[in-house]
Amino acid sequence: MENHSAPSDVKDWNGDTIVMFQEDLFQEVKGKVSEKWFYTYFKNESSKLPRVDMLNLLSSYVGFENWHAFKASHISEEKKSNSVKKLSWLIIFIPITIVFMVTMNSKNEFKFCFNDDLNSTIVNQIDIKVLQDDQSPLYFKTDSLGCFNYETKSDKITFVVYSPYYKTDTIVRSIDKNEHQSIKLQSDDYALVLKYYTSGNVKDWKKHKHKLQQLIHNDAQIYRFYEDNIGVEIYTKEDFVRLLTIPTKTLKKIKVLDKSYENNQIKTLKFTVK
C-alpha cells in the first residue's frame, strides 16, 4: 500500500496487483510466492495455514523477525497471564467457537461428471472455468474419471467447459439439484474428424490428403506450440497437411489445443506434439 495503488481488500486484487505484490515482496525480503499460492491462501478460503517458512517470509515483509515474533506482538499483556481461570474459560469457549465457525463457514459440494453424445464417459481432460461474482474466475481440470468437484458457500455454480473435441458450453446448476450430476457435452464433429486423420491409421494416403484439404480453410492460421515454452511455429495449410500425410510416429503424438471455424472449415488451429 505504501509503494503501489491497490484495493484495501486483498480479495479484490487482480492479476496486475498480484504481480506488483510479488515484485515488492522480492525487493524487500528476496522471497517469492507463486500466483497459484496467492490464490490458494488469499483469494480462496483455505482450510489450513501456509507452511511456517512462508509465514516467516510474510512476517519479515511486514517488519517482524519471524512468524513467532508476529504472533507475540498481537497478544496483549492481559492474555499473556496464564491463569487457571482464564485457561478453563478458553477450554469451554474454544470448542463452542469452533462449532459456530464451522457452521457459519459450511460449504456446498458440487460434483459433476461429463459424458459424450453416446453417454460414454469423457476421459480426456476438460478445462473448467468457474465464474465468481466480483472476483477473478477459478480454473480446474476434470480428474481421471472425467469428473469435477467444487466447494462453495453459494447455492449456485456457473462454469464454462472447454475441450478440443467438444463444443464450449456454459453450465449453471443449483445445489438442490446436484446429485452427482452427469453433464452431456456436444461433440465437435470437425475436431473429431481431424483427430481421426491425425491418428495415422489410414491406408489410402492420397484420399487422406484430399479430405484434409477439404477440412481446412485455404487461409487457415495454424500454430504449433512447443513444450516448455520454447516457442511457437506458424504453419501454412500445405505445411500442416504435409505433416499429417506423412506416415510417421509423430502423427499419434499430435494434440489439438484450440480451433475455430469459418464456413464449416477450420480457420484457426493451435496444436502441439507431445
Side-chain angles (χ1 to χ4, degrees), residues 18 46 105 163 174 189 259:
I18 295 173
S46 179
N105 292 300
S163 172
S174 298
D189 295 334
K259 72 284 174 197

Side-chain angles (χ1 to χ4, degrees), residues 29-150:
V29 296
K30 306 303 179 187
K32 294 183 178 180
V33 294
S34 68
E35 186 172 352
K36 179 180 178 181
W37 184 94
F38 190 93
Y39 272 87
T40 299
Y41 291 103
F42 285 81
K43 301 283 282 188
N44 297 318
E45 297 291 338
S46 179
S47 60
K48 58 182 181 181
L49 285 172
R51 299 193 316 268
V52 172
D53 59 331
M54 300 306 294
L55 294 172
N56 287 336
L57 179 69
L58 295 176
S59 298
S60 177
Y61 178 65
V62 295
F64 292 88
E65 183 179 356
N66 51 35
W67 172 239
H68 178 74
F70 176 86
K71 288 193 299 181
S73 69
H74 289 75
I75 300 176
S76 66
E77 292 299 321
E78 181 180 357
K79 289 182 179 179
K80 289 181 180 178
S81 60
N82 297 317
S83 66
V84 176
K85 180 179 179 180
K86 287 187 178 181
L87 182 60
S88 300
W89 179 82
L90 287 175
I91 292 174
I92 297 173
F93 178 74
I94 289 177
I96 297 174
T97 304
I98 292 174
V99 171
F100 176 75
M101 292 180 64
V102 169
T103 303
M104 291 295 294
N105 292 300
S106 61
K107 295 182 178 180
N108 295 314
E109 181 179 7
F110 290 87
K111 180 176 182 179
F112 304 99
C113 298
F114 298 89
N115 295 332
D116 59 19
D117 298 330
L118 301 178
N119 288 324
S120 299
T121 300
I122 300 174
V123 293
N124 293 326
Q125 274 193 337
I126 295 171
D127 292 307
I128 297 169
K129 180 170 71 173
V130 177
L131 305 179
Q132 302 186 106
D133 294 335
D134 302 322
Q135 293 191 47
S136 301
L138 301 175
Y139 296 89
F140 302 91
K141 292 182 181 292
T142 52
D143 57 25
S144 59
L145 300 177
C147 298
F148 156 65
N149 291 67
Y150 180 69

Side-chain angles (χ1 to χ4, degrees), residues 232-248:
V232 179
E233 184 176 359
I234 300 175
Y235 278 58
T236 65
K237 173 181 176 178
E238 294 303 321
D239 291 336
F240 187 63
V241 170
R242 189 180 303 112
L243 175 67
L244 301 186
T245 51
I246 299 177
T248 64

Side-chain angles (χ1 to χ4, degrees), residues 134-180:
D134 302 322
Q135 293 191 47
S136 301
L138 301 175
Y139 296 89
F140 302 91
K141 292 182 181 292
T142 52
D143 57 25
S144 59
L145 300 177
C147 298
F148 156 65
N149 291 67
Y150 180 69
E151 290 186 351
T152 177
K153 294 180 181 180
S154 176
D155 293 333
K156 184 180 73 173
I157 182 174
T158 302
F159 59 95
V160 184
V161 292
Y162 304 89
S163 172
Y165 306 113
Y166 297 91
K167 294 184 177 179
T168 300
D169 197 5
T170 300
I171 311 297
V172 180
R173 292 291 186 272
S174 298
I175 190 63
D176 57 350
K177 297 181 180 179
N178 180 60
E179 282 294 331
H180 303 289

